[in-house]
């Protein structure tokens, strides 16, 4: 099976082309913004380097969150448009599950995938191997420390790992071990493996938002009078 994987959920733009578990080409560029300007060029270059044409692809995998609202929309829109043009299934991949699958030496001990959600929160999901131990959730940092301790997690990955360990230190708890080097973005091989294994019917390319967006629609139309407050 040949798959194209795309990740724009966090602070990077990652693209890879794989046949089975063999990488044909991949690239990852750190970026906090500007995904929409770069995604098309990176996909074009990676496909050219892979030596196969777009019509040879069997599936497209894309991260659906949690993560940056803007980044998620860019990756999802591009993947869905490409899937529609090629008539290929597009697989939605959880960012937290992809981070968990990026660990180089998985073992039987529980561990946590944690993403910095800002505003005193993290996105968190705990796993044993590939199996989730709790649903993905947005929680306050102290609540995340308590949940990770309750589940007996022996390690942590993701952009929220340092935040979690810093709060553990403030509470006189030992820091959780990190992979070396730390994993802060999903790896292309992990994205490809999850794309191959996924059931398309159960992995729709829909954004996984764990909290409401910061921006909200206006409560009145331009020129409309304000509603008096009783």
């Amino acid at each position: 099976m040949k798959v194209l994987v795309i990740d724009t959920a966090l602070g990077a733009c990652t693209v890879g082309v794989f046949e089975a578990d063999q990488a044909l080409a991949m690239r990852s560029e750190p970026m906090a913004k500007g995904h929409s300007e770069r995604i098309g060029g990176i996909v074009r270059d990676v496909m050219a380097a892979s030596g196969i044409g777009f019509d040879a692809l069997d599936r497209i995998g894309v991260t659906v969150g949690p993560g940056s609202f803007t980044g998620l929309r860019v990756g999802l829109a591009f993947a869905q448009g490409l899937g529609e043009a090629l008539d290929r299934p597009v697989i939605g991949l959880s960012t937290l599950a992809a981070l968990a699958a990026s660990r180089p030496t998985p073992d039987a001990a529980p561990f946590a995938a944690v993403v910095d959600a800002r505003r005193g929160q993290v996105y968190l999901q705990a796993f044993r191997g590939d199996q989730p131990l709790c649903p993905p959730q947005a929680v306050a940092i102290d609540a995340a420390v308590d949940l990770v301790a309750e589940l007996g997690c022996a390690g942590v990955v993701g952009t929220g790992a340092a935040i979690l360990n810093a709060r553990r230190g403030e509470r006189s708890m030992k820091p959780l071990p990190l992979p070396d080097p730390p994993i802060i973005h999903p790896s292309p091989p992990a994205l490809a493996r999850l794309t191959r294994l996924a059931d398309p019917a159960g992995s729709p390319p829909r954004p996984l938002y764990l909290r409401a967006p910061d921006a909200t629609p206006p409560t009145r139309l331009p020129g409309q009078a304000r509603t008096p407050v009783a």
Side-chain angles (χ1 to χ4, degrees), residues 187-226:
S187 72
L191 295 168
R193 181 169 70 87
L194 294 177
T195 300
R196 291 195 310 272
L197 296 176
D199 175 7
S203 306
R206 291 198 297 265
L208 176 61
Y209 294 144
L210 298 181
R211 71 181 185 196
D214 295 330
T216 57
T219 56
R220 61 191 178 90
L221 298 174
Q224 184 179 17
R226 296 180 184 274

Side-chain angles (χ1 to χ4, degrees), residues 44-191:
R44 177 200 61 211
D45 294 345
V46 170
M47 285 299 301
S50 74
I52 67 171
F54 283 95
D55 58 350
L57 295 172
D58 297 298
R59 288 184 175 185
I60 299 167
V62 61
T63 45
V64 298
S68 158
F69 283 91
T70 302
L72 288 177
R73 288 194 294 269
V74 169
L76 276 165
F78 188 92
Q80 288 176 303
L82 187 58
E84 184 71 20
L86 298 174
D87 192 25
R88 299 293 191 275
V90 179
I91 308 298
L93 306 171
S94 159
T95 309
L96 295 170
L99 283 166
S102 299
R103 295 197 311 152
T105 54
D107 53 44
F111 67 99
V114 186
V115 170
D116 180 8
R118 304 183 186 277
R119 297 191 298 177
Q121 290 186 317
V122 293
Y123 301 125
L124 180 149
Q125 189 170 21
F127 296 84
R128 179 180 282 112
D130 287 336
Q131 298 303 311
L133 299 178
C134 65
Q137 51 200 286
V139 294
I141 298 171
D142 278 317
V145 171
D146 293 338
L147 178 59
V148 165
E150 177 186 336
L151 294 173
C153 292
V156 62
V157 297
T159 60
I163 296 170
L164 189 74
N165 274 338
R167 185 58 55 87
R168 286 174 65 90
E170 293 170 4
R171 294 171 56 173
S172 301
M173 301 169 71
K174 290 183 178 179
L176 292 174
L178 308 179
D180 186 19
I183 295 170
I184 57 174
H185 301 116
S187 72
L191 295 168

